[in-house]
Amino acid sequence: MSFLRGSTNYVWCTTSVLGKGATGAVFQGINRNNGEPVAVKTFNQLSHMRPHDVQVREFEVLKKVKHENIVKLLAIEEEQEGRGKVIVMELCTGGSLFNILDDPENTYGLQEEEFLLVLEHLSAGMKHLRDNNLVHRDLKPGNIMKFISSDGLTIYKLTDFGAARELEEDQQFMSLYGTEEYLHPDMYERAVLRKPVGKTFGATVDLWSIGVTLYHVATGNLPFRPFGGRRNKETMYYITTKKASGVISGIQTSENGPIDWCRDLPKNCQLSAGLKKLVTPLLAGLLEVDSQKIWTFDKFFTEVTKALTRKPVHVYHINKAQSVRIYVHPDDVYSDFQALVHEQTEITAENQIILFKDTHLISLVGEGNPSRTYPQTELGCPMLLFSKENNNVVIVADSELPKFPSFPNNVSVENDATLAKTACSVGHVCKRRIERLSMCSKLTHDSVRMFNIVVGDELTRVISKCNHLKQLAKEAERMVDAVMRGQRTVHNLLGVKSTASFINWRVSFKL
């Protein structure tokens, strides 16, 4: 049996599986003419049983879209031996976002810079779809691919448009598509619970899926988790439909147990407090079951643009030995920056001493200049924050480390693999903590050095001023002596006798 299959210009091996779905599979292949690696999507018998207009819909959608953040269509060809059409696309060598999140390093979500990249690219791809009146209807990490460009840059791209279709802003649809954990509750009710409700759905169902996806990317977990997972479907529906407005997660940790509701991202996710402040309202607007309260696409795109416009300023808070990121708007001035620093550190503006590059920050940036002109900072080269009213250093206690699993004596490949993955994720948490503490040690040393330099410079200026004032005092002394001598001379010429005029002024002023 041959594992090689092909079309006119492409060939692929059925053992090189990139992904599988309900209606087909994606294989890695090559261009027969130039050897270029590609991804080839083939369709199974179930797919061919669908109505013809549904079968060709994916081809039509892919032909219509052309955007950096959507997987590029290379060709649509007939497979040899009459197996039907295949879709040939650019190969995303970084794999799917789902596989990236499955890596033990990302058990608690992606790092901040990578999360922002996903947010930017996902919203840009979705905006292109909406500009073309398209809905995806199966948004999830598994359908977001990581593409590495020739210059080494990471680009995230939307893929799998098997469920996509044209839909105007005010249009509705009734057909059911999607993956249950990412489905809007109204679609979940019909598709998963099989309830015969006569609801129709609009383009905003994609917004709910985006919200679940972004929460997953930020934390490494789904936002709504009933005990027992998929088998507890009624509880899943209850969690998503009964949560209060603004709640972004609901977790059940025991059979028939209570739901732990939360309006904030968990502490163990890798996003900074500054970014959490921007992302949390974004998630709350997307994960809104009330059709009157859920955001529109325009609102989503606007808020994402606002969030991405803000740039992080790295600040090291010496009193807590803690690195913070202050997300400033390009038009913010120094007082706005100080207010944001106050929010995260509780040091009021009048008590802040902010140093950078061996001097006071205010002397570098000025009070009225916008933050877009501020110097670039990095985690290892931040601005240093001191408090005028507090000289103590109180290190913030770390959260408890996740427990390292214990391996049972009996050998089970599946269980041991799961335990090994957990052990690796704990190892990565320990590694990040050690790196953070090492960085804090370095920055504390840098803070002391810079503070000494700044204090030394200020003392030098004070000494210089003192010497200048001493010189002025000596000049004034000589002038007073000259005046006194002149006064005595005049009095002698006029024959005036006045003992008061000859008071020793040095004694009087105790000089």
Side-chain angles (χ1 to χ4, degrees), residues 313 332-339 341 349-371 373-375 383-385 388 450 454 458 461:
V313 176
D332 284 348
V333 294
Y334 192 70
S335 58
D336 300 317
F337 175 66
Q338 285 186 301
V341 170
E350 58 271 18
N351 287 316
Q352 293 172 11
I353 302 173
I354 305 176
L355 308 180
F356 189 68
K357 298 291 186 183
D358 297 343
T359 188
H360 287 275
L361 178 65
I362 186 66
S363 66
L364 290 175
V365 303
E367 290 189 2
N369 292 325
S371 66
T373 64
Y374 286 12
M383 297 175 182
L384 304 176
L385 173 66
K388 291 180 182 178
M450 192 179 298
V454 171
E458 292 189 0
R461 285 193 291 272

mmCIF file of all heavy atoms in Angstrom, residues 313 332-339 341 349-371 373-375 383-385 388 450 454 458 461:
data_model
loop_
_atom_site.group_PDB
_atom_site.id
_atom_site.type_symbol
_atom_site.label_atom_id
_atom_site.label_comp_id
_atom_site.label_asym_id
_atom_site.label_seq_id
_atom_site.Cartn_x
_atom_site.Cartn_y
_atom_site.Cartn_z
ATOM 1 N N VAL A 313 6.421 50.262 29.742
ATOM 2 C CA VAL A 313 7.621 50.864 30.320
ATOM 3 C C VAL A 313 8.009 49.993 31.512
ATOM 4 O O VAL A 313 7.220 49.794 32.430
ATOM 5 C CB VAL A 313 7.365 52.313 30.778
ATOM 6 C CG1 VAL A 313 8.607 52.876 31.473
ATOM 7 C CG2 VAL A 313 6.975 53.194 29.589
ATOM 8 N N ASP A 332 0.415 60.210 26.759
ATOM 9 C CA ASP A 332 0.525 60.455 28.203
ATOM 10 C C ASP A 332 1.747 61.313 28.514
ATOM 11 O O ASP A 332 2.811 61.138 27.905
ATOM 12 C CB ASP A 332 0.644 59.129 28.957
ATOM 13 C CG ASP A 332 -0.679 58.389 29.064
ATOM 14 O OD1 ASP A 332 -1.718 59.008 28.750
ATOM 15 O OD2 ASP A 332 -0.677 57.204 29.457
ATOM 16 N N VAL A 333 1.589 62.240 29.459
ATOM 17 C CA VAL A 333 2.705 63.058 29.920
ATOM 18 C C VAL A 333 3.186 62.528 31.268
ATOM 19 O O VAL A 333 2.661 61.533 31.771
ATOM 20 C CB VAL A 333 2.311 64.548 30.016
ATOM 21 C CG1 VAL A 333 2.005 65.112 28.631
ATOM 22 C CG2 VAL A 333 1.103 64.736 30.931
ATOM 23 N N TYR A 334 4.151 63.200 31.858
ATOM 24 C CA TYR A 334 4.804 62.673 33.054
ATOM 25 C C TYR A 334 3.827 62.462 34.209
ATOM 26 O O TYR A 334 3.916 61.452 34.924
ATOM 27 C CB TYR A 334 5.928 63.612 33.490
ATOM 28 C CG TYR A 334 6.831 63.025 34.533
ATOM 29 C CD1 TYR A 334 7.709 61.990 34.219
ATOM 30 C CD2 TYR A 334 6.803 63.482 35.851
ATOM 31 C CE1 TYR A 334 8.534 61.430 35.173
ATOM 32 C CE2 TYR A 334 7.625 62.931 36.819
ATOM 33 C CZ TYR A 334 8.487 61.901 36.480
ATOM 34 O OH TYR A 334 9.292 61.343 37.432
ATOM 35 N N SER A 335 2.880 63.382 34.393
ATOM 36 C CA SER A 335 1.910 63.232 35.487
ATOM 37 C C SER A 335 1.021 61.997 35.268
ATOM 38 O O SER A 335 0.652 61.318 36.234
ATOM 39 C CB SER A 335 1.043 64.491 35.619
ATOM 40 O OG SER A 335 0.354 64.751 34.406
ATOM 41 N N ASP A 336 0.669 61.712 33.998
ATOM 42 C CA ASP A 336 -0.113 60.503 33.700
ATOM 43 C C ASP A 336 0.702 59.253 34.023
ATOM 44 O O ASP A 336 0.179 58.280 34.584
ATOM 45 C CB ASP A 336 -0.518 60.478 32.223
ATOM 46 C CG ASP A 336 -1.365 61.670 31.825
ATOM 47 O OD1 ASP A 336 -2.277 62.024 32.601
ATOM 48 O OD2 ASP A 336 -1.125 62.238 30.749
ATOM 49 N N PHE A 337 1.972 59.288 33.662
ATOM 50 C CA PHE A 337 2.866 58.163 33.953
ATOM 51 C C PHE A 337 2.971 57.945 35.455
ATOM 52 O O PHE A 337 2.905 56.804 35.947
ATOM 53 C CB PHE A 337 4.240 58.434 33.338
ATOM 54 C CG PHE A 337 5.276 57.399 33.661
ATOM 55 C CD1 PHE A 337 5.160 56.098 33.186
ATOM 56 C CD2 PHE A 337 6.366 57.716 34.463
ATOM 57 C CE1 PHE A 337 6.122 55.133 33.490
ATOM 58 C CE2 PHE A 337 7.326 56.768 34.766
ATOM 59 C CZ PHE A 337 7.195 55.470 34.283
ATOM 60 N N GLN A 338 3.099 59.036 36.210
ATOM 61 C CA GLN A 338 3.195 58.921 37.668
ATOM 62 C C GLN A 338 1.919 58.316 38.260
ATOM 63 O O GLN A 338 1.977 57.513 39.197
ATOM 64 C CB GLN A 338 3.452 60.292 38.290
ATOM 65 C CG GLN A 338 4.871 60.800 38.108
ATOM 66 C CD GLN A 338 5.096 62.080 38.860
ATOM 67 O OE1 GLN A 338 4.409 63.085 38.625
ATOM 68 N NE2 GLN A 338 6.051 62.077 39.778
ATOM 69 N N ALA A 339 0.761 58.693 37.690
ATOM 70 C CA ALA A 339 -0.513 58.144 38.182
ATOM 71 C C ALA A 339 -0.588 56.635 37.941
ATOM 72 O O ALA A 339 -1.072 55.877 38.799
ATOM 73 C CB ALA A 339 -1.681 58.847 37.491
ATOM 74 N N VAL A 341 2.019 54.641 37.699
ATOM 75 C CA VAL A 341 2.974 54.052 38.643
ATOM 76 C C VAL A 341 2.327 53.931 40.024
ATOM 77 O O VAL A 341 2.467 52.909 40.709
ATOM 78 C CB VAL A 341 4.264 54.899 38.718
ATOM 79 C CG1 VAL A 341 5.151 54.432 39.869
ATOM 80 C CG2 VAL A 341 5.024 54.826 37.402
ATOM 81 N N ALA A 349 2.561 60.254 43.675
ATOM 82 C CA ALA A 349 3.420 60.985 42.740
ATOM 83 C C ALA A 349 4.461 61.835 43.462
ATOM 84 O O ALA A 349 5.639 61.880 43.060
ATOM 85 C CB ALA A 349 2.566 61.852 41.822
ATOM 86 N N GLU A 350 4.050 62.498 44.562
ATOM 87 C CA GLU A 350 4.976 63.389 45.251
ATOM 88 C C GLU A 350 6.077 62.631 45.992
ATOM 89 O O GLU A 350 7.107 63.221 46.368
ATOM 90 C CB GLU A 350 4.232 64.302 46.243
ATOM 91 C CG GLU A 350 3.435 63.579 47.312
ATOM 92 C CD GLU A 350 2.006 63.271 46.890
ATOM 93 O OE1 GLU A 350 1.724 63.307 45.673
ATOM 94 O OE2 GLU A 350 1.178 62.999 47.782
ATOM 95 N N ASN A 351 5.873 61.336 46.193
ATOM 96 C CA ASN A 351 6.889 60.542 46.904
ATOM 97 C C ASN A 351 7.707 59.651 45.972
ATOM 98 O O ASN A 351 8.513 58.844 46.436
ATOM 99 C CB ASN A 351 6.212 59.667 47.969
ATOM 100 C CG ASN A 351 5.744 60.481 49.159
ATOM 101 O OD1 ASN A 351 6.464 61.336 49.655
ATOM 102 N ND2 ASN A 351 4.520 60.237 49.601
ATOM 103 N N GLN A 352 7.496 59.785 44.680
ATOM 104 C CA GLN A 352 8.218 58.946 43.725
ATOM 105 C C GLN A 352 9.578 59.549 43.376
ATOM 106 O O GLN A 352 9.677 60.738 43.069
ATOM 107 C CB GLN A 352 7.399 58.776 42.439
ATOM 108 C CG GLN A 352 6.108 57.987 42.613
ATOM 109 C CD GLN A 352 5.249 58.009 41.365
ATOM 110 O OE1 GLN A 352 5.694 58.435 40.292
ATOM 111 N NE2 GLN A 352 4.000 57.581 41.497
ATOM 112 N N ILE A 353 10.594 58.709 43.440
ATOM 113 C CA ILE A 353 11.912 59.048 42.891
ATOM 114 C C ILE A 353 12.183 58.043 41.781
ATOM 115 O O ILE A 353 12.336 56.845 42.035
ATOM 116 C CB ILE A 353 13.027 58.956 43.957
ATOM 117 C CG1 ILE A 353 12.734 59.886 45.138
ATOM 118 C CG2 ILE A 353 14.384 59.274 43.341
ATOM 119 C CD1 ILE A 353 13.705 59.713 46.299
ATOM 120 N N ILE A 354 12.170 58.514 40.539
ATOM 121 C CA ILE A 354 12.342 57.616 39.399
ATOM 122 C C ILE A 354 13.656 57.964 38.711
ATOM 123 O O ILE A 354 13.849 59.099 38.247
ATOM 124 C CB ILE A 354 11.164 57.735 38.414
ATOM 125 C CG1 ILE A 354 9.828 57.491 39.128
ATOM 126 C CG2 ILE A 354 11.326 56.724 37.272
ATOM 127 C CD1 ILE A 354 8.605 57.667 38.264
ATOM 128 N N LEU A 355 14.543 56.987 38.660
ATOM 129 C CA LEU A 355 15.870 57.197 38.081
ATOM 130 C C LEU A 355 16.025 56.374 36.806
ATOM 131 O O LEU A 355 15.461 55.288 36.685
ATOM 132 C CB LEU A 355 16.961 56.793 39.075
ATOM 133 C CG LEU A 355 16.897 57.396 40.484
ATOM 134 C CD1 LEU A 355 18.068 56.886 41.325
ATOM 135 C CD2 LEU A 355 16.904 58.916 40.437
ATOM 136 N N PHE A 356 16.803 56.899 35.889
ATOM 137 C CA PHE A 356 17.121 56.163 34.660
ATOM 138 C C PHE A 356 18.427 56.711 34.090
ATOM 139 O O PHE A 356 18.620 57.929 34.027
ATOM 140 C CB PHE A 356 15.998 56.312 33.640
ATOM 141 C CG PHE A 356 16.148 55.412 32.432
ATOM 142 C CD1 PHE A 356 16.028 54.033 32.559
ATOM 143 C CD2 PHE A 356 16.440 55.946 31.186
ATOM 144 C CE1 PHE A 356 16.178 53.205 31.452
ATOM 145 C CE2 PHE A 356 16.589 55.132 30.079
ATOM 146 C CZ PHE A 356 16.458 53.749 30.214
ATOM 147 N N LYS A 357 19.304 55.811 33.719
ATOM 148 C CA LYS A 357 20.594 56.197 33.128
ATOM 149 C C LYS A 357 21.342 57.194 34.026
ATOM 150 O O LYS A 357 21.825 58.240 33.589
ATOM 151 C CB LYS A 357 20.390 56.816 31.741
ATOM 152 C CG LYS A 357 19.753 55.887 30.719
ATOM 153 C CD LYS A 357 20.666 54.764 30.309
ATOM 154 C CE LYS A 357 20.060 53.936 29.177
ATOM 155 N NZ LYS A 357 20.902 52.780 28.806
ATOM 156 N N ASP A 358 21.411 56.874 35.327
ATOM 157 C CA ASP A 358 22.194 57.632 36.308
ATOM 158 C C ASP A 358 21.714 59.053 36.526
ATOM 159 O O ASP A 358 22.500 59.941 36.901
ATOM 160 C CB ASP A 358 23.680 57.655 35.908
ATOM 161 C CG ASP A 358 24.308 56.275 35.890
ATOM 162 O OD1 ASP A 358 23.715 55.353 36.490
ATOM 163 O OD2 ASP A 358 25.367 56.110 35.256
ATOM 164 N N THR A 359 20.418 59.297 36.321
ATOM 165 C CA THR A 359 19.869 60.625 36.588
ATOM 166 C C THR A 359 18.373 60.520 36.844
ATOM 167 O O THR A 359 17.767 59.459 36.665
ATOM 168 C CB THR A 359 20.149 61.589 35.422
ATOM 169 O OG1 THR A 359 19.772 62.919 35.808
ATOM 170 C CG2 THR A 359 19.344 61.204 34.188
ATOM 171 N N HIS A 360 17.778 61.615 37.275
ATOM 172 C CA HIS A 360 16.334 61.647 37.489
ATOM 173 C C HIS A 360 15.615 61.591 36.135
ATOM 174 O O HIS A 360 15.990 62.302 35.195
ATOM 175 C CB HIS A 360 15.927 62.921 38.233
ATOM 176 C CG HIS A 360 16.311 62.917 39.682
ATOM 177 N ND1 HIS A 360 15.525 62.350 40.655
ATOM 178 C CD2 HIS A 360 17.422 63.383 40.306
ATOM 179 C CE1 HIS A 360 16.112 62.483 41.837
ATOM 180 N NE2 HIS A 360 17.272 63.116 41.654
ATOM 181 N N LEU A 361 14.573 60.755 36.060
ATOM 182 C CA LEU A 361 13.834 60.611 34.807
ATOM 183 C C LEU A 361 13.252 61.938 34.341
ATOM 184 O O LEU A 361 13.287 62.245 33.139
ATOM 185 C CB LEU A 361 12.709 59.576 34.973
ATOM 186 C CG LEU A 361 11.819 59.355 33.745
ATOM 187 C CD1 LEU A 361 12.622 58.754 32.599
ATOM 188 C CD2 LEU A 361 10.629 58.473 34.091
ATOM 189 N N ILE A 362 12.741 62.739 35.263
ATOM 190 C CA ILE A 362 12.100 64.004 34.900
ATOM 191 C C ILE A 362 13.062 64.926 34.164
ATOM 192 O O ILE A 362 12.663 65.676 33.266
ATOM 193 C CB ILE A 362 11.526 64.705 36.161
ATOM 194 C CG1 ILE A 362 10.731 65.947 35.780
ATOM 195 C CG2 ILE A 362 12.624 65.026 37.145
ATOM 196 C CD1 ILE A 362 9.479 65.668 35.007
ATOM 197 N N SER A 363 14.355 64.839 34.494
ATOM 198 C CA SER A 363 15.334 65.699 33.810
ATOM 199 C C SER A 363 15.588 65.217 32.378
ATOM 200 O O SER A 363 16.046 65.987 31.538
ATOM 201 C CB SER A 363 16.644 65.720 34.586
ATOM 202 O OG SER A 363 17.253 64.433 34.576
ATOM 203 N N LEU A 364 15.270 63.940 32.106
ATOM 204 C CA LEU A 364 15.445 63.402 30.755
ATOM 205 C C LEU A 364 14.231 63.649 29.869
ATOM 206 O O LEU A 364 14.367 63.938 28.681
ATOM 207 C CB LEU A 364 15.709 61.892 30.818
ATOM 208 C CG LEU A 364 17.048 61.410 31.378
ATOM 209 C CD1 LEU A 364 17.059 59.894 31.463
ATOM 210 C CD2 LEU A 364 18.193 61.883 30.479
ATOM 211 N N VAL A 365 13.024 63.498 30.443
ATOM 212 C CA VAL A 365 11.807 63.510 29.620
ATOM 213 C C VAL A 365 11.023 64.807 29.712
ATOM 214 O O VAL A 365 10.227 65.114 28.813
ATOM 215 C CB VAL A 365 10.904 62.310 29.985
ATOM 216 C CG1 VAL A 365 11.660 61.006 29.816
ATOM 217 C CG2 VAL A 365 10.374 62.427 31.415
ATOM 218 N N GLY A 366 11.181 65.554 30.795
ATOM 219 C CA GLY A 366 10.412 66.777 30.956
ATOM 220 C C GLY A 366 8.979 66.484 31.385
ATOM 221 O O GLY A 366 8.478 65.357 31.247
ATOM 222 N N GLU A 367 8.293 67.486 31.892
ATOM 223 C CA GLU A 367 6.941 67.280 32.410
ATOM 224 C C GLU A 367 5.881 67.227 31.311
ATOM 225 O O GLU A 367 4.889 66.523 31.428
ATOM 226 C CB GLU A 367 6.582 68.392 33.408
ATOM 227 C CG GLU A 367 7.356 68.304 34.709
ATOM 228 C CD GLU A 367 6.822 69.277 35.740
ATOM 229 O OE1 GLU A 367 5.844 69.982 35.437
ATOM 230 O OE2 GLU A 367 7.383 69.330 36.858
ATOM 231 N N GLY A 368 6.090 67.962 30.227
ATOM 232 C CA GLY A 368 5.034 68.075 29.224
ATOM 233 C C GLY A 368 5.228 67.249 27.971
ATOM 234 O O GLY A 368 4.352 67.226 27.103
ATOM 235 N N ASN A 369 6.365 66.559 27.855
ATOM 236 C CA ASN A 369 6.606 65.769 26.650
ATOM 237 C C ASN A 369 5.815 64.468 26.678
ATOM 238 O O ASN A 369 5.698 63.835 27.729
ATOM 239 C CB ASN A 369 8.096 65.445 26.514
ATOM 240 C CG ASN A 369 8.920 66.690 26.233
ATOM 241 O OD1 ASN A 369 8.470 67.600 25.548
ATOM 242 N ND2 ASN A 369 10.132 66.733 26.772
ATOM 243 N N PRO A 370 5.255 64.043 25.530
ATOM 244 C CA PRO A 370 4.481 62.799 25.494
ATOM 245 C C PRO A 370 5.375 61.579 25.696
ATOM 246 O O PRO A 370 6.575 61.619 25.404
ATOM 247 C CB PRO A 370 3.862 62.812 24.091
ATOM 248 C CG PRO A 370 4.776 63.655 23.273
ATOM 249 C CD PRO A 370 5.306 64.701 24.207
ATOM 250 N N SER A 371 4.767 60.502 26.189
ATOM 251 C CA SER A 371 5.548 59.309 26.525
ATOM 252 C C SER A 371 6.170 58.643 25.306
ATOM 253 O O SER A 371 7.083 57.830 25.453
ATOM 254 C CB SER A 371 4.664 58.301 27.261
ATOM 255 O OG SER A 371 3.656 57.802 26.409
ATOM 256 N N THR A 373 8.129 59.899 23.451
ATOM 257 C CA THR A 373 9.512 60.373 23.376
ATOM 258 C C THR A 373 10.381 59.796 24.492
ATOM 259 O O THR A 373 11.575 60.088 24.549
ATOM 260 C CB THR A 373 9.551 61.908 23.452
ATOM 261 O OG1 THR A 373 9.059 62.336 24.749
ATOM 262 C CG2 THR A 373 8.700 62.536 22.373
ATOM 263 N N TYR A 374 9.796 58.986 25.381
ATOM 264 C CA TYR A 374 10.550 58.447 26.512
ATOM 265 C C TYR A 374 11.593 57.444 26.015
ATOM 266 O O TYR A 374 11.393 56.778 25.001
ATOM 267 C CB TYR A 374 9.608 57.745 27.495
ATOM 268 C CG TYR A 374 8.763 58.687 28.343
ATOM 269 C CD1 TYR A 374 8.676 60.039 28.034
ATOM 270 C CD2 TYR A 374 8.053 58.218 29.438
ATOM 271 C CE1 TYR A 374 7.899 60.897 28.796
ATOM 272 C CE2 TYR A 374 7.275 59.072 30.208
ATOM 273 C CZ TYR A 374 7.198 60.402 29.887
ATOM 274 O OH TYR A 374 6.431 61.247 30.630
ATOM 275 N N PRO A 375 12.685 57.309 26.738
ATOM 276 C CA PRO A 375 13.719 56.340 26.328
ATOM 277 C C PRO A 375 13.201 54.905 26.414
ATOM 278 O O PRO A 375 12.319 54.600 27.216
ATOM 279 C CB PRO A 375 14.852 56.590 27.328
ATOM 280 C CG PRO A 375 14.196 57.232 28.508
ATOM 281 C CD PRO A 375 13.071 58.040 27.963
ATOM 282 N N MET A 383 13.516 51.523 34.396
ATOM 283 C CA MET A 383 13.562 52.696 35.262
ATOM 284 C C MET A 383 13.534 52.192 36.705
ATOM 285 O O MET A 383 12.913 51.161 36.987
ATOM 286 C CB MET A 383 12.373 53.602 34.985
ATOM 287 C CG MET A 383 12.368 54.167 33.573
ATOM 288 S SD MET A 383 10.884 55.131 33.225
ATOM 289 C CE MET A 383 11.188 55.586 31.500
ATOM 290 N N LEU A 384 14.178 52.908 37.610
ATOM 291 C CA LEU A 384 14.284 52.467 39.001
ATOM 292 C C LEU A 384 13.451 53.381 39.886
ATOM 293 O O LEU A 384 13.606 54.606 39.851
ATOM 294 C CB LEU A 384 15.743 52.468 39.439
ATOM 295 C CG LEU A 384 16.682 51.626 38.560
ATOM 296 C CD1 LEU A 384 18.127 51.767 39.025
ATOM 297 C CD2 LEU A 384 16.261 50.165 38.563
ATOM 298 N N LEU A 385 12.571 52.765 40.662
ATOM 299 C CA LEU A 385 11.607 53.516 41.473
ATOM 300 C C LEU A 385 11.947 53.404 42.954
ATOM 301 O O LEU A 385 12.046 52.297 43.496
ATOM 302 C CB LEU A 385 10.189 52.981 41.219
ATOM 303 C CG LEU A 385 9.077 53.539 42.104
ATOM 304 C CD1 LEU A 385 8.850 55.029 41.834
ATOM 305 C CD2 LEU A 385 7.784 52.752 41.878
ATOM 306 N N LYS A 388 10.241 58.296 48.651
ATOM 307 C CA LYS A 388 10.817 59.303 49.540
ATOM 308 C C LYS A 388 10.476 59.039 51.001
ATOM 309 O O LYS A 388 11.252 59.390 51.903
ATOM 310 C CB LYS A 388 10.306 60.700 49.160
ATOM 311 C CG LYS A 388 10.819 61.220 47.844
ATOM 312 C CD LYS A 388 10.258 62.604 47.563
ATOM 313 C CE LYS A 388 10.723 63.134 46.202
ATOM 314 N NZ LYS A 388 10.149 64.461 45.893
ATOM 315 N N MET A 450 23.154 53.038 41.124
ATOM 316 C CA MET A 450 22.648 54.256 40.488
ATOM 317 C C MET A 450 22.255 55.301 41.526
ATOM 318 O O MET A 450 22.487 56.505 41.344
ATOM 319 C CB MET A 450 21.454 53.931 39.581
ATOM 320 C CG MET A 450 21.065 55.101 38.675
ATOM 321 S SD MET A 450 19.683 54.754 37.570
ATOM 322 C CE MET A 450 20.334 53.413 36.585
ATOM 323 N N VAL A 454 23.652 59.074 41.700
ATOM 324 C CA VAL A 454 22.781 60.260 41.670
ATOM 325 C C VAL A 454 22.990 61.109 42.915
ATOM 326 O O VAL A 454 23.106 62.346 42.836
ATOM 327 C CB VAL A 454 21.302 59.835 41.526
ATOM 328 C CG1 VAL A 454 20.377 61.039 41.709
ATOM 329 C CG2 VAL A 454 21.065 59.195 40.169
ATOM 330 N N GLU A 458 24.456 64.881 43.130
ATOM 331 C CA GLU A 458 23.730 65.977 43.783
ATOM 332 C C GLU A 458 24.584 66.604 44.888
ATOM 333 O O GLU A 458 24.573 67.836 45.072
ATOM 334 C CB GLU A 458 22.397 65.462 44.332
ATOM 335 C CG GLU A 458 21.411 65.082 43.238
ATOM 336 C CD GLU A 458 20.023 64.787 43.771
ATOM 337 O OE1 GLU A 458 19.830 64.873 44.991
ATOM 338 O OE2 GLU A 458 19.137 64.483 42.939
ATOM 339 N N ARG A 461 27.016 68.829 43.290
ATOM 340 C CA ARG A 461 26.396 70.119 42.922
ATOM 341 C C ARG A 461 26.178 70.999 44.151
ATOM 342 O O ARG A 461 26.351 72.230 44.091
ATOM 343 C CB ARG A 461 25.071 69.864 42.204
ATOM 344 C CG ARG A 461 25.226 69.373 40.774
ATOM 345 C CD ARG A 461 23.916 69.452 40.015
ATOM 346 N NE ARG A 461 22.940 68.486 40.511
ATOM 347 C CZ ARG A 461 22.842 67.236 40.054
ATOM 348 N NH1 ARG A 461 23.678 66.801 39.119
ATOM 349 N NH2 ARG A 461 21.937 66.420 40.542
#
